[in-house]
């Protein structure tokens, strides 16, 4: 259920073949003509290609280039928002990277690669939250959804991953902590209808991760649930997996697929 006012949604990392694309699609269907969905990607051509596909299906989105790892890119995009809708009421922090260099024991990952991963996967979502929360604060309404993941679980890092993907996993753990901390901050400031929650997509199948089991369309439905929580909802600072709220670091033991090599 959407708020009774216009909605302006931003989805990061929404190129074709991944979760962001499906989220943008379903948000656009839910919002309809009562708002705008900004479909963004690291490369402008990827955003345009994704939007063209949706436009061919009669689904309206606005494609834009947005590099969450670059403050100038974020500022430039927010300038576009200011000139268009003037605000963002829904933020889906989906953009992330997992360079091939990190797909080995963590002690062999270079500090350069580690810095790049944290700049995108941790500071990226933080940049976006800092950019849009003033809009939500003014309206006293907003929804933030962070795409977490099982690689951020310390228990899985020890029991199953064998030290591989350690920097990516640490970035996902840090991103989840930032999300929960932000939710608490918003509540402490009396912004009780600015809600921030996270989704663990599980073993999701995408074009770049064909061995996954869960279709991104299914995960997108969960994201839409949190992105469109009704006014007055008390769900915030929570982690959801397979449509259920779960404790943090409660990941079931199972096989793990590598996520896409670089997916913003």
């Amino acid at each position: 259920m959407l708020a009774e006012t216009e909605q302006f949604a931003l989805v990061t990392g929404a190129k074709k073949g991944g979760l962001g694309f499906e989220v943008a699609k379903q948000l656009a269907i839910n919002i309809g003509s009562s708002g705008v969905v900004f479909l963004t990607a690291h490369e402008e051509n990827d955003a345009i290609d994704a939007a063209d596909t949706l436009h061919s299906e009669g689904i309206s989105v606005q494609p834009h280039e947005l590099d969450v790892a670059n403050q100038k890119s974020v500022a430039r995009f927010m300038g576009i928002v200011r000139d268009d809708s003037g605000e963002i009421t829904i933020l889906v922090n989906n953009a992330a990277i997992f360079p091939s260099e990190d797909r080995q024991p963590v002690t062999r990952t270079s500090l350069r690669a580690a810095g790049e991963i944290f700049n995108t996967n941790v500071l990226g979502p933080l940049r976006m939250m800092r950019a849009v929360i003033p809009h939500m604060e003014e309206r006293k309404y907003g929804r933030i959804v962070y795409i977490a993941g099982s690689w951020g679980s310390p228990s899985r890092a020890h029991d199953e991953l064998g030290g591989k993907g350690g920097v990516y996993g640490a970035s996902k753990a840090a991103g989840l902590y930032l999300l929960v901390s932000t939710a608490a901050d918003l509540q402490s400031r009396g912004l009780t209808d600015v809600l921030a929650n996270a989704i663990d997509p599980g073993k999701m199948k995408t074009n770049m991760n064909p061995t996954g089991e869960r279709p991104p369309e299914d995960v997108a439905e969960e994201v839409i649930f949190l992105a469109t929580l009704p006014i007055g909802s008390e769900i915030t600072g929570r982690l959801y997996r397979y449509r259920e709220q779960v404790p943090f670091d409660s990941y079931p033991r199972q096989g793990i697929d590598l996520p896409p090599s670089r997916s913003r």
Side-chain angles (χ1 to χ4, degrees):
M1 177 180 179
L2 294 173
E4 296 177 357
T5 53
E6 287 184 313
Q7 294 284 356
F8 302 98
L10 164 59
V11 184
T12 68
K15 68 181 182 181
K16 287 171 60 175
L19 176 59
F21 175 79
E22 293 298 334
V23 170
K25 177 179 180 178
Q26 292 191 29
L27 269 175
I29 293 171
N30 274 268
I31 290 175
S33 60
S34 65
V36 176
V37 173
F38 295 99
L39 182 159
T40 70
H42 180 247
E43 300 291 341
E44 183 179 24
N45 287 341
D46 287 335
I48 293 173
D49 183 39
D52 286 346
T53 297
L54 295 182
H55 291 163
S56 70
E57 300 175 16
I59 300 170
S60 178
V61 296
Q62 287 194 21
H64 293 282
E65 175 185 339
L66 174 59
D67 180 2
V68 301
N70 186 311
Q71 183 59 40
K72 289 183 179 180
S73 177
V74 173
R76 182 169 56 251
F77 171 76
M78 294 309 297
I80 294 171
V81 170
R82 183 170 56 250
D83 294 339
D84 187 295
S85 65
E87 61 184 344
I88 295 293
T89 58
I90 297 172
L91 168 65
V92 180
N93 266 326
N94 174 69
I97 62 170
F98 191 176
S100 58
E101 185 178 342
D102 193 39
R103 301 176 184 229
Q104 59 182 333
V106 64
T107 52
R108 298 177 188 170
T109 302
S110 71
L111 293 180
R112 177 200 54 76
E116 181 181 357
I117 293 167
F118 264 71
N119 188 33
T120 300
N121 298 5
V122 182
L123 297 184
L126 181 59
R127 287 186 186 96
M128 298 316 304
M129 289 191 292
R130 288 170 63 94
V132 306
I133 284 176
H135 301 180
M136 299 175 176
E137 186 171 10
E138 182 175 350
R139 187 186 273 208
K140 299 190 183 333
Y141 169 89
R143 302 291 182 261
I144 299 170
V145 183
Y146 171 68
I147 308 304
S150 60
W151 283 72
S153 163
S155 62
R156 297 195 86 173
H158 181 271
D159 296 341
E160 299 178 44
L161 297 175
K164 295 181 179 179
V167 178
Y168 173 81
S171 74
K172 282 298 181 180
L176 182 58
Y177 190 100
L178 278 177
L179 182 283
V180 175
S181 181
T182 298
D185 174 40
L186 294 168
Q187 293 292 297
S188 69
R189 289 196 275 145
L191 299 170
T192 56
D193 222 347
V194 181
L195 311 177
N197 293 285
I199 289 283
D200 170 18
K203 296 178 65 178
M204 182 174 60
K205 182 177 182 178
T206 66
N207 289 344
M208 297 183 68
N209 189 26
T211 59
E213 299 172 354
R214 195 178 185 197
E217 296 88 347
D218 185 50
V219 181
E221 290 180 5
E222 285 191 74
V223 177
I224 301 305
F225 165 70
L226 292 176
T228 61
L229 287 169
I231 292 175
S233 173
E234 297 181 351
I235 299 174
T236 194
R238 303 291 182 248
L239 174 65
Y240 277 74
R241 185 189 311 117
Y242 292 97
R243 295 183 173 82
E244 293 184 357
Q245 181 182 322
V246 295
F248 301 113
D249 202 22
S250 63
Y251 301 100
R253 295 183 62 87
Q254 61 181 5
I256 300 176
D257 288 342
L258 286 171
S261 178
R262 295 184 69 87
S263 173
R264 284 179 176 169

